[in-house]
Amino acid sequence: MATTPSVQRPRFNPSNSSCVNDARLLHGVPSLRHSDFSPLHFRFQSLVSCPADVPLELFEAAVSQLIHHPEYNSTLILRSETISDSDTTIPMPVPRLEGYCPVRNVHRKLLPRRPGRDSGLEQHCTLYAFETGEFAGLPSMLVLTPLVPEGESLPYYHPTVSHLAFRFIPSSITATSDSAPTQSTLRIEVIPLPGTPTDPNSRLYRTALALLDTLHRYLWGALTHYQKRVQHDVLVPREIYQDVYLKMRERHKGMVNTWREATDPLKHVFEDIGIATFLMLFWKDMFAASADLPDVKKLDDSRWTSWPRPSGGFLDLGCGNGLLTHILSAEGYSGYGIDLRARASWAHYPDSSQAALKVHALDPTQLLSPDSSNDEEKSLWEPGVFLIGNHADELTPWLPVLATLTGASGYLSIPCCAWMFDERFTRSSAASALDFSDNELLDGATGVVSSEAEDEAVFISSLGMGAEGTHKSQYSAYRIWLARLSRWLGWKIECDTLRIPSTRNWAIVGRERLPGDQSIFVDRARLIVKDVVRRGAFKTRTPEGKGHDGAS
């Protein structure tokens, strides 16, 4: 059944179908009702419907999104966890419906975003197919059945229903021999709990309308092979990240009420909690002998004191308000944050965090001068240090250079403003700055020979920018340039899109060196420094305010 997608997604055109009765369900469409005719089981009530502009074959792929990612439809849901997934065992609580046969059942648990306020909820997600006819055996309906323990009630994030059905009705079923061609239909039908309003102004109706819009969008995405804008959870699994983040948020959310900066505390506090959580789990995996990540919910309050971490600590370049450095220090991680001036927040952190924050003007052009560093500056660059650049602006392109020249264990860069080594990034300046297509050196260092055009396409695809990697925005071009730079300097490129409240949440990570002669990569980093020194355009800013704890 071939369908040619339109250029644009068809308009979502819902209609109130609560007035639809059996007489309106034409020729061969069974009434959605229990097959046991129990007086306790009423027929489903249709709430809202819309035209379906896609073939039925795409229905299962679209509703799989609804099953596995309920958090996309409710900000109160953290995620779902699959308990079982079977196409042979259909449990008793699942309704038996006339004209349909259950073909698959996913038993899942919904986890709330705020466990202290809402409870979790188990739920059966059952796919049904028509028993007979042209579409027999092809999934065409999804029914959600909440499993509420005796004596308890549904959590607020769940509609007040005992069953909720997403139903695809093919056009050939609703059409008659003498009628005009009709469109296939998507319909949401429910069995509401007693006393639940279902009028168009009710919460249940509005929820059904939002769910129908989501399914309509997923079906169109399946038809057009929609590519996600970005890729999340590449380096750290989503489930363990969310579990640790919830614990970290409880430990540090009080910072919102004691925020000393003029910036938005809700954004900055929860953003840095998210980055700290990512780093802790990333380091745990990076520096562990095994990649196994145990269930953090079973660990006690000292859960991460024994987690692996960088042997040389961390160095947060351009740490700003110092919150990320403070959170990591508070959780037992050693390291420093440096910036040109002390912020108002610094003096209000605990002594251990204040000791980790330094006023320091970093000058990368001095890296090749053996006598340029004093003892305190040398203490920042411990062997095996891990570099952090969180919106580090002018220092962003220097992270892979610094990591290469200092023997750092790796780096995390979350780029924001687009800077090259001594000027703003532009496409023209980037094209003339470095020649990343130096195949003779690249092949000598890595032993890899491939088609340059093919390699470049694969490389850009590997950056995890999704659809953003296909257009030519300045920010996309900058991230691709940063990734090329890092690879040119001998770092295996890994990227992720962090779950933080920022539009600049794409991160590039270096934790593994490419194979081959490492001196070639070091020579390249030295060449960058010499070039910048020769141009004389890089100006180190002067530290502002008083030095902190004797910092330079």
Side-chain angles (χ1 to χ4, degrees), residues 28-69:
V29 181
S31 301
L32 199 54
R33 60 185 180 184
H34 287 266
S35 58
D36 60 6
F37 296 101
S38 167
L40 297 178
H41 290 153
F42 300 95
R43 292 178 181 173
F44 279 73
Q45 177 180 345
S46 179
L47 286 185
V48 61
S49 61
C50 73
D53 305 279
V54 299
L56 175 59
E57 287 86 347
L58 299 177
F59 181 77
E60 184 173 8
V63 296
S64 291
Q65 283 281 82
L66 292 172
I67 293 172
H68 296 295
H69 295 286

Side-chain angles (χ1 to χ4, degrees), residues 67-68 81-87 89 91 104-109 123-125:
I67 293 172
H68 296 295
E81 291 184 345
T82 299
I83 299 173
S84 65
D85 186 345
S86 175
D87 55 7
T89 304
R104 180 186 173 198
N105 187 79
V106 177
H107 183 187
R108 70 179 181 181
K109 183 174 183 179
Q123 193 181 59
H124 286 307
C125 309

Side-chain angles (χ1 to χ4, degrees), residues 1 30 45 84 97 183 204 232 258 262 320 423 425 471 474-475 481:
M1 184 180 295
Q45 177 180 345
S84 65
L97 301 171
Q183 282 186 298
L204 177 57
H232 289 280
T258 59
E423 61 180 325
F425 173 87
H471 61 248
Q474 182 88 339
Y475 185 55
W481 181 83

